[in-house]
């Protein structure tokens, strides 16, 4: 059995997704359960500083390359940012798109990103899971450190993307679904008859 006095400091730096792994590896299920009878709430986006980075590349309407290392180029998959909560139409070069042509509004979504974030500093806010299975960072992207509407939500508002929530990253699901509903009601972008 693991001493609960040694387990508590570990809990401070563990991300929620790693907690179960840590518990299994340390054998501390009983002592940790006794020290924290109710699960800790996920971190609030407003409580965490947004991470600045300069957008250097646009891959498509929901993925961009961001210089997090401040060295003027994209070094790894970890500097590819996948916009959380949305799915933009696929470009002709996407592996998902086998038609060889851009899906409707794919170019419009990419143009929207080009106009609003390309070659500019943006601010990333993470949810519970920071990376996807491809090693890309998952983030809500904001144009200023204190703005309340993300670029992700703005794409939905213009009808240039659809909501897509996978796993635990659902913090902004309600506001994103409301933005999509309004775009559909006003027949914007993908919702045009």
């Amino acid at each position: 059995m693991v001493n609960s006095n040694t387990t508590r400091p570990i809990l401070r730096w563990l991300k929620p997704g790693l907690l179960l792994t840590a518990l299994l590896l340390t054998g501390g299920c009983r002592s940790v359960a006794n020290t924290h009878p109710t699960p800790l709430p996920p971190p609030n986006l407003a409580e965490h500083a947004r991470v600045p980075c300069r957008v250097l590349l646009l891959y498509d309407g929901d993925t961009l390359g961001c210089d997090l290392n401040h060295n003027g180029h994209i070094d790894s998959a970890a500097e590819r940012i996948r916009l959380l909560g949305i799915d933009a139409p696929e470009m002709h070069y996407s592996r998902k798109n086998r038609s060889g042509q851009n899906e409707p509004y794919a170019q419009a979504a990419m143009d929207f990103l080009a106009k609003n974030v390309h070659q500019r500093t943006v601010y990333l806010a993470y949810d519970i899971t920071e990376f996807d299975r491809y090693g890309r960072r998952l983030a809500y992207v904001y144009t200023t450190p204190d703005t309340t509407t993300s670029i992700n939500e703005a794409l939905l508002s213009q009808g240039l993307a659809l909501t897509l929530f996978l796993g635990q990253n659902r913090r902004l699901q309600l506001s994103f679904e409301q933005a999509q509903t309004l775009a559909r009601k006003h027949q914007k972008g993908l919702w045009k008859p």
Side-chain angles (χ1 to χ4, degrees):
M1 180 187 262
V2 174
N3 182 339
S4 64
N5 292 332
T6 60
T7 306
R8 285 182 197 174
I10 293 172
L11 290 175
R12 288 187 194 123
W13 58 265
L14 278 177
K15 291 186 177 184
L18 297 176
L19 183 58
L20 180 59
T21 304
L23 291 174
L24 293 174
L25 292 175
T26 62
C29 291
R30 181 172 292 151
S31 65
V32 171
N34 290 338
T35 57
H36 294 288
T38 57
L40 297 173
N44 183 347
L45 286 176
E47 293 175 358
H48 298 285
R50 294 178 180 173
V51 178
C53 66
R54 185 163 180 84
V55 177
L56 300 180
L57 295 170
L58 300 176
Y59 296 101
D60 57 26
D62 55 28
T63 310
L64 46 92
C66 210
D67 181 14
L68 286 163
N69 295 329
H70 309 290
N71 61 4
H73 53 87
I74 308 303
D75 292 322
S76 68
E79 288 188 298
R80 286 181 75 160
I81 311 302
R82 175 64 170 81
L83 277 65
L84 270 173
I86 68 166
D87 188 28
E90 301 297 331
M91 298 296 286
H92 68 278
Y93 47 78
S94 169
R95 285 183 229 163
K96 292 183 197 173
N97 183 355
R98 302 199 187 274
S99 72
Q101 306 215 354
N102 291 344
E103 291 181 350
Y105 294 96
Q107 188 63 52
M110 199 157 162
D111 291 346
F112 183 86
L113 288 180
K115 177 182 174 187
N116 291 286
V117 301
H118 191 240
Q119 295 299 324
R120 295 184 183 175
T121 297
V122 297
Y123 300 85
L124 309 178
Y126 306 120
D127 206 324
I128 294 175
T129 306
E130 190 173 337
F131 295 95
D132 69 6
R133 62 183 172 162
Y134 305 109
R136 300 175 299 185
R137 283 184 197 274
L138 303 170
Y140 304 108
V141 177
Y142 296 88
T143 55
T144 67
D146 57 352
T147 192
T148 57
T149 301
S150 66
I151 286 295
N152 317 40
E153 187 174 341
L155 281 160
L156 290 168
S157 296
Q158 296 300 312
L160 301 176
L162 302 174
T163 57
L164 175 67
F165 286 90
L166 302 170
Q168 300 176 3
N169 294 328
R170 296 177 180 272
R171 192 170 326 280
L172 299 178
Q173 185 171 353
L174 181 61
S175 62
F176 280 24
E177 287 173 349
Q178 289 171 345
Q180 179 174 283
T181 299
L182 283 174
R184 181 183 225 166
K185 178 181 176 182
H186 296 291
Q187 299 181 337
K188 291 183 177 183
L190 293 162
W191 304 107
K192 285 184 180 173

